[in-house]
Amino acid sequence: MKIKKVLLSKSYTGFYFDDQKAIKKGATNDGFFYQGEPATEGFSQVRQTGEAISIQLVLEDGTIGYGDCAAVQYSGAGGRDPLFLAKDFIPFLEEKIVPMLIGEDVSEFRPLAEKYDRLVIDGKKLHTAIRYGLTQALLNATANSKHLTMAEVIRAEYGIEGDVYEKIPVFTQSGDDRYINVDKMIIKEADVLPHALINHVATKLGQNGELLLEYVSWLKNRIESKRARSDYQPILHIDVYGTIGIAFNNDVEKMVDYIISLEEAAKPFILRIEGPVDTGDREGTMCYLRDIRKGLENKGSKAEIVADEWCNTLEDIIYFADNKAGHMLQIKTPDLGGVNNVAEAIIYCNKVGIGSYCGGTCNETNISSQTTTNIAIACKASQCLAKPGMGVDEGYMIVKNEMNRVLTLANNK
């Protein structure tokens, strides 16, 4: 089945673009705005509207494949591609990519996805957001033309064993509203919670880590006092955006001891800490995560470290996995470009025995979230992110409902 027409439109994401560099430098909240000057190229404000580009691939028989080009909340940070604005990239797509797509045969997803993911134009690969959205549309077109779920296409084309499709634990994120949103998560019995957005030392972590320690204690007590059943045992997963490294001057022993104190406060719940250190480069960040993992294990700790910043591409993920730089790696789906790389990354992490977190960003769309949920199911990821947005309910609904639909359909064929 061939592509007959390509339609592009500006879309909106489930959250916003935030200038992480400006926030780390001290930009402060003013209601939902941030006060301060942007510090990352392309930003006109510290927080601005999240944008995407929707791609519709119209096939010969009228079947349509949908995909959304979306970039992460913290675009331009941690070695990522620059800010993705629709006005800048729709003309590029219309001129350079649409003519190439007309006539392409979507009977197989993988070779076509790899072609466009690796495409070089004017000496550069396509922006990760374009590769992300275009390959979503190709996967959706292949699945729809074959009357299959996207999960079935991925499992067949990547040779993943298993006829049964199973649920993946869903991780919900709170954003700054880390108290009320936790209550929502407890009511919905989210598998993993709360993310918590600990992105500033003075106001969220504490100069000696005391604020986060208090929060973890509150979190543990809140779950135990409000859960509807005693066997509800969520995993506590908190993203600290390198602030532990800042607070403890990247001293590995002090960071390890601090994480163990958080682990004690979290018991009986398992604790994961995402991004304890960010050195501003891949090698330094990898080395610290590797050493923190070793330090925790040497002291008998069961706390887990999750890699995020600087672990962006498929190549990064393989590098971090081979070096055991963390117990789990976030496969931050828009950062990998083509969704074919998301499948490859999950498969590789599972192969070498490191946790595969099919993540992403609050700044995605319903289409990209549904697509990557299918891939997480197909490839048997360790967990997947409820997205987009930071309101809990919307992202959880989109991902959980897509998961349940896919499992019901694929397991009843």
Side-chain angles (χ1 to χ4, degrees), residues 163-177:
D163 296 326
V164 177
Y165 293 79
E166 298 178 335
K167 289 183 179 180
I168 304 298
V170 175
F171 172 34
T172 49
Q173 54 185 347
S174 67
D176 274 321
D177 198 351

Side-chain angles (χ1 to χ4, degrees), residues 74-286:
Y74 296 120
S75 289
R80 299 186 179 99
D81 277 354
L83 192 64
F84 186 76
L85 301 177
K87 68 178 178 60
D88 296 330
F89 287 97
I90 286 179
F92 171 84
L93 285 166
E94 289 174 336
E95 179 187 354
K96 303 285 188 178
I97 306 302
V98 169
M100 296 179 65
L101 288 168
I102 303 300
E104 292 278 26
D105 190 333
V106 300
S107 57
E108 287 185 272
F109 160 71
R110 187 174 181 178
L112 206 52
E114 290 176 353
K115 171 184 174 179
Y116 283 92
D117 183 58
R118 296 168 183 170
L119 185 65
V120 174
I121 294 180
D122 299 329
K124 295 190 296 186
K125 292 185 75 171
L126 302 178
H127 192 292
T128 47
I130 293 175
R131 292 153 51 204
Y132 189 48
L134 178 53
T135 53
Q136 290 168 43
L138 293 170
L139 175 57
N140 192 239
T142 300
N144 290 345
S145 68
K146 291 186 170 185
H147 305 290
L148 297 171
T149 65
M150 290 180 282
E152 290 170 288
V153 171
I154 292 292
R155 191 164 284 190
E157 293 199 22
Y158 285 84
I160 300 164
E161 294 182 358
D163 296 326
V164 177
Y165 293 79
E166 298 178 335
K167 289 183 179 180
I168 304 298
V170 175
F171 172 34
T172 49
Q173 54 185 347
S174 67
D176 274 321
D177 198 351
R178 62 187 61 79
Y179 294 95
I180 294 297
N181 277 344
V182 162
D183 287 355
K184 296 179 184 179
M185 295 169 187
I186 296 169
I187 292 170
K188 291 182 183 291
E189 296 192 339
D191 305 299
V192 188
L193 57 88
H195 184 268
L197 198 67
I198 307 299
N199 60 0
H200 191 261
V201 173
T203 60
K204 296 176 182 178
L205 184 90
Q207 296 296 347
N208 298 300
E210 69 280 359
L211 297 180
L212 179 55
L213 187 60
E214 290 172 9
Y215 178 72
V216 171
S217 297
W218 175 87
L219 186 60
K220 169 257 184 82
N221 292 332
R222 193 68 172 173
I223 295 167
E224 290 186 329
S225 65
K226 295 297 182 182
R227 59 188 172 184
R229 53 187 181 87
S230 60
D231 60 347
Y232 170 54
Q233 292 280 124
I235 292 170
L236 309 189
H237 181 143
I238 297 172
D239 194 346
V240 300
Y241 296 90
T243 53
I244 291 177
I246 296 169
F248 294 96
N249 296 312
N250 288 351
D251 184 308
V252 172
E253 187 172 356
K254 289 180 180 178
M255 290 189 288
V256 166
D257 287 343
Y258 175 65
I259 292 168
I260 290 173
S261 73
L262 295 176
E263 178 187 22
E264 289 298 316
K267 286 181 177 179
F269 304 109
I270 293 170
L271 178 70
R272 289 186 186 138
I273 297 295
E274 182 172 343
V277 173
D278 180 356
T279 64
D281 67 289
R282 186 178 84 158
E283 187 67 18
T285 302
M286 184 283 292

